[in-house]
Amino acid sequence: MNQTNAVQQVDHVVIRFAGDSGDGMQLTGTEFTRAAANAGNDIATFPDFPAEIRAPAGTLAGVSGFQLHFSSEDISTPGDSPDVLVAMNPAALKANLGDLIPGGTIIVNTGAFTPANLQKAGYEQNPLEDGSLDHFRVIPVDLNKLTNEALADMDLSTKAKQRCKNFFALGLMFWIYSRDVEPEIRAIQSKFARKPELAEANVKAFKAGYHYGETTEIFQSRYEVKPASLQPGTYRNITGNEAIALGFVTAARLADKPLFLGAYPITPASDILHYMARYKNYDVTTFQAEDEIAGICSAIGAAFGGSIAVTTSSGPGIALKTEAIGLAAMIELPLVIVNIQRGGPSTGLPTKTEQADLLQALYGRNGEAPLPVLAAKTPSDAFDVAVEAVRIAVKYMTPVFLLSDGYLANGSEPWRLPELDNLPRIEVRHRTDPDGYFVYARNAETLAREWVIPGTPGLEHRVGGLEKDYLTGNVSYDPENHHRQTLMRHARIERIASECGELDMVGDPEGDVLVLGWGGTYGALLQATRRMRALGNKVTHVHLRYLNPINPKLGDIIHNFKKVLVPELNMGQLRTVIRAKYLVDAVGYNKVQGRPFTVAELCTAISEQLS
């Protein structure tokens, strides 16, 4: 046994696991993330994988990656560049090498560097032999051979044994970063409980990887990342899609109403349907419809019947739902429409992130049909936004857009479980008194009509897509009535501005540069702002949760800055809205690569505005 390995304390580490789509990189990253969370680290993850179910093995198109940032300090992003790259084959090395920090560590599976794999990856020479990696610390490990040797006594095919090499790599990383192996062994046994032979093989591979690190001389040191100082409470690791699902289930319980989800599967929104289907015992009904139109129309029907109603999709699916969204706006029923944005247009980049559906959410309907639009900023924040979206929908009797994106949907972070008893109840009133009832009679404060469950005696009424009389709900083509109803629908959404609360702001209410953002760019913008402020710059970060109506407090401060910078993962959609609303010369910083911002490039963009 190697007794010379000293344990070094480090504040944070960024690791990227990369391999072929069949190498189990998402599982490996997820398991290491759980170990980091169990160790009390603050974490942020960034899974990145191709859309194709199975791109050609060994090619650049088939590379799947999982980046994890774990730290003893407060962090808000999965890290700009990995410190460590675990490359399972030549394609994984080639696709990810450019992101590695100078002098970074590469743990490379030498067994996969065959002439055929090198050719598939586009290498003319073996990078392990031509000196091109001399600027990095390369740790060669033949995972193929070592995994086969570890499982030599098992009655499995060679192919089945090779599928366990990701757990060999995981075990090795557990040793390098001083993780407790026993919880992971139990997790493997639980995950493969229905296939005990695979459970045994993966545990053996995992232990072999751990002991390989312990007994070889190629590692001079091990590392330890101490637990982060988090607010006391019970935490779990959560993705954005999990948080949205739990948020809706919680909101329905707070409203004491059944919950209905009507959806058609689409990446990256499908997980919400999967997660919510697990909660039938909480009066949750999930309906996988035959298409997007049926998905939203079933949800509208559920809302008409008195349920908390939700429909989920991504950009192309939202396009198909458009007419039904207008119907929901016209008949004024509570409905939450979730758009997990991805790269586009059309089917575009299904597994890559983008923020390019903001204008679609704000304006993508025929006629004058304004709707409230909310956006989550972090995976755990998606829980709060889901609850808030339901509350707004019910209170103002309106469809509500909830925007997330692929980065938030698949990324994860620690989430402090809320005290459910402390969450405010969501008040729901169903009118039962027929005396003086009119379908479109409105609450003086919210301008919302009353929610009547069909079948309530004496309250028979009709709703539909044709324009209705402002009071009785009878079909009306009267020009003045249509004008009045249109103004009323706008005014009702504007009333929601009173719900926006305080601005989400870091910095002073005046200065040189206001960094204005929304959605999943929050962590990178926050980190960049902190870094620039630490250098003495007068930079402030404001992040919008409400995109319609926009928090009225923004108008109080936006003119107090010399420059307004709006970084977005689109071509400038919020910037367009801000310029029109506040008549300021807002400057955009835009990236449309299917990848999130790095903190470094945002700092550069801010510096350019300061100069």
Side-chain angles (χ1 to χ4, degrees):
M1 179 180 294
N2 182 2
Q3 299 294 337
T4 62
N5 303 122
V7 176
Q8 296 183 16
Q9 303 292 328
V10 292
D11 295 332
H12 66 93
V13 179
V14 179
I15 297 175
R16 184 180 296 177
F17 297 93
D20 197 68
S21 292
D23 285 337
M25 292 297 92
Q26 302 306 315
L27 175 60
T28 306
T30 301
E31 293 301 300
F32 198 83
T33 298
R34 181 166 55 190
N38 289 339
N41 299 139
D42 196 3
I43 57 174
T45 68
F46 177 41
D48 188 23
F49 44 86
E52 292 80 1
I53 295 173
R54 193 68 174 90
T59 64
L60 295 176
V63 173
S64 174
F66 188 104
Q67 184 163 310
L68 163 66
H69 186 187
F70 59 105
S71 174
S72 60
E73 301 172 346
D74 178 31
I75 58 174
S76 59
T77 77
D80 282 5
S81 301
D83 306 300
V84 180
L85 171 63
V86 180
M88 302 295 281
N89 62 21
L93 176 66
K94 190 169 189 176
N96 293 280
L97 186 62
D99 294 335
L100 194 63
I101 65 168
T105 299
I106 305 171
I107 298 175
V108 60
N109 175 21
T110 57
F113 279 65
T114 63
N117 283 342
L118 290 167
Q119 184 179 21
K120 289 179 184 176
Y123 277 117
E124 296 182 357
Q125 294 181 312
N126 189 338
L128 303 180
E129 300 171 351
D130 64 3
S132 60
L133 304 180
D134 288 349
H135 298 298
F136 302 98
R137 180 189 175 208
V138 180
I139 300 176
V141 183
D142 191 341
L143 293 175
N144 294 8
K145 177 183 175 183
L146 292 168
T147 303
N148 275 340
E149 290 177 353
L151 305 180
D153 61 341
M154 296 201 66
D155 186 18
L156 293 173
S157 67
T158 302
K159 185 177 181 181
K161 291 177 181 176
Q162 282 300 292
R163 286 177 177 164
C164 300
K165 63 178 179 291
N166 61 325
F167 277 98
F168 190 103
L170 182 65
L172 179 58
M173 299 305 289
F174 264 60
W175 181 82
I176 294 174
Y177 290 100
S178 312
R179 298 305 185 196
D180 184 3
V181 298
E182 291 303 324
E184 181 57 29
I185 291 172
R186 290 194 295 272
I188 296 172
Q189 292 169 336
S190 174
K191 185 174 187 62
F192 295 96
R194 294 183 178 180
K195 296 181 178 179
E197 72 280 6
L198 292 183
E200 181 183 355
N202 284 322
V203 168
K204 278 191 172 183
F206 174 73
K207 287 182 176 178
Y210 187 89
H211 292 305
Y212 180 80
E214 192 173 44
T215 55
T216 57
E217 301 289 339
I218 59 176
F219 300 99
Q220 287 81 35
S221 58
R222 305 174 69 187
Y223 302 93
E224 184 178 18
V225 179
K226 292 288 188 183
S229 298
L230 301 174
Q231 188 178 356
T234 302
Y235 286 80
R236 58 158 290 185
N237 185 34
I238 197 164
T239 67
N241 276 351
E242 287 177 305
I244 285 177
L246 287 173
F248 286 139
V249 174
T250 302
R253 304 312 299 167
L254 292 173
D256 195 22
K257 299 292 294 180
L259 174 62
F260 179 90
L261 169 65
Y264 180 73
I266 184 172
T267 301
S270 300
D271 284 345
I272 300 174
L273 174 64
H274 304 158
Y275 293 132
M276 288 179 63
R278 301 173 182 174
Y279 296 102
K280 294 177 181 176
N281 56 318
Y282 286 103
D283 206 5
V284 176
T285 299
T286 52
F287 172 54
Q288 181 177 321
E290 71 269 28
D291 57 34
E292 297 283 2
I293 298 172
I296 186 172
C297 287
S298 66
I300 292 172
F304 190 47
S307 295
I308 300 299
V310 177
T311 189
T312 55
S313 193
S314 294
I318 296 296
L320 293 171
K321 295 178 189 292
T322 297
E323 182 179 355
I325 294 172
L327 172 65
M330 191 64 143
I331 61 182
E332 301 184 24
L333 282 171
L335 170 69
V336 181
I337 306 151
V338 180
N339 183 352
I340 310 297
Q341 299 165 97
R342 63 187 201 179
S346 186
T347 47
L349 305 172
T351 59
K352 308 301 180 185
T353 195
E354 205 165 275
Q355 289 183 298
D357 294 346
L358 175 58
L359 296 183
Q360 182 188 35
L362 291 173
Y363 308 118
R365 291 167 291 283
N366 63 296
E368 293 284 349
L371 296 181
V373 179
L374 284 68
K377 65 179 183 180
T378 66
S380 60
D381 182 59
F383 173 87
D384 296 326
V385 176
V387 174
E388 190 165 358
V390 170
R391 185 178 65 80
I392 294 297
V394 169
K395 183 174 180 179
Y396 291 87
M397 290 291 285
T398 177
V400 175
F401 257 108
L402 193 170
L403 298 180
S404 177
D405 56 51
Y407 174 69
L408 297 180
N410 298 314
S412 64
E413 65 179 0
W415 176 49
R416 182 170 173 264
L417 301 185
E419 294 291 339
L420 296 182
D421 292 340
N422 294 337
L423 296 178
R425 302 282 302 172
I426 295 177
E427 185 178 3
V428 176
R429 293 179 181 176
H430 291 298
R431 178 161 179 155
T432 57
D433 181 8
D435 188 27
Y437 172 67
F438 293 99
V439 178
Y440 281 92
R442 297 178 183 278
N443 179 290
E445 176 191 355
T446 65
L447 301 180
R449 73 177 186 88
E450 293 177 298
W451 194 3
V452 174
I453 296 179
T456 304
L459 292 177
E460 294 81 4
H461 65 286
R462 61 180 176 184
V463 293
L466 293 174
E467 182 62 282
K468 302 295 187 297
D469 178 80
Y470 77 96
L471 185 62
T472 66
N474 294 330
V475 173
S476 172
Y477 286 88
D478 178 69
E480 295 300 324
N481 175 77
H482 176 56
H483 189 80
R484 182 177 185 177
Q485 285 282 66
T486 300
L487 294 180
M488 189 66 74
R489 287 190 282 266
H490 274 270
R492 181 165 47 95
I493 302 306
E494 289 301 318
R495 294 286 175 98
I496 298 172
S498 63
E499 309 282 348
C500 293
E502 296 299 318
L503 272 180
D504 187 354
M505 184 169 71
V506 174
D508 304 312
E510 59 182 21
D512 293 329
V513 175
L514 173 64
V515 180
L516 183 60
W518 66 280
T521 58
Y522 173 79
L525 297 183
L526 176 65
Q527 199 70 24
T529 301
R530 286 175 174 170
R531 191 175 296 181
M532 297 305 294
R533 288 181 61 81
L535 297 174
N537 298 300
K538 296 178 179 179
V539 178
T540 294
H541 172 211
V542 168
H543 214 76
L544 297 177
R545 167 170 289 184
Y546 279 81
L547 282 311
N548 189 44
I550 289 178
N551 193 321
K553 293 184 173 61
L554 179 63
D556 297 334
I557 72 163
I558 197 167
H559 294 284
N560 295 338
F561 290 83
K562 297 176 182 176
K563 298 284 185 63
V564 178
L565 178 66
V566 188
E568 295 178 89
L569 300 177
N570 59 42
M571 293 302 292
Q573 298 191 9
L574 177 62
R575 178 191 54 182
T576 299
V577 173
I578 294 299
R579 281 181 166 184
K581 184 175 179 64
Y582 297 104
L583 301 179
V584 297
D585 187 20
V587 177
Y589 179 69
N590 306 101
K591 179 177 178 180
V592 191
Q593 302 174 3
R595 308 185 70 177
F597 286 124
T598 66
V599 175
E601 60 194 10
L602 287 170
C603 287
T604 300
I606 296 171
S607 295
E608 290 175 353
Q609 297 305 311
L610 289 167
S611 61

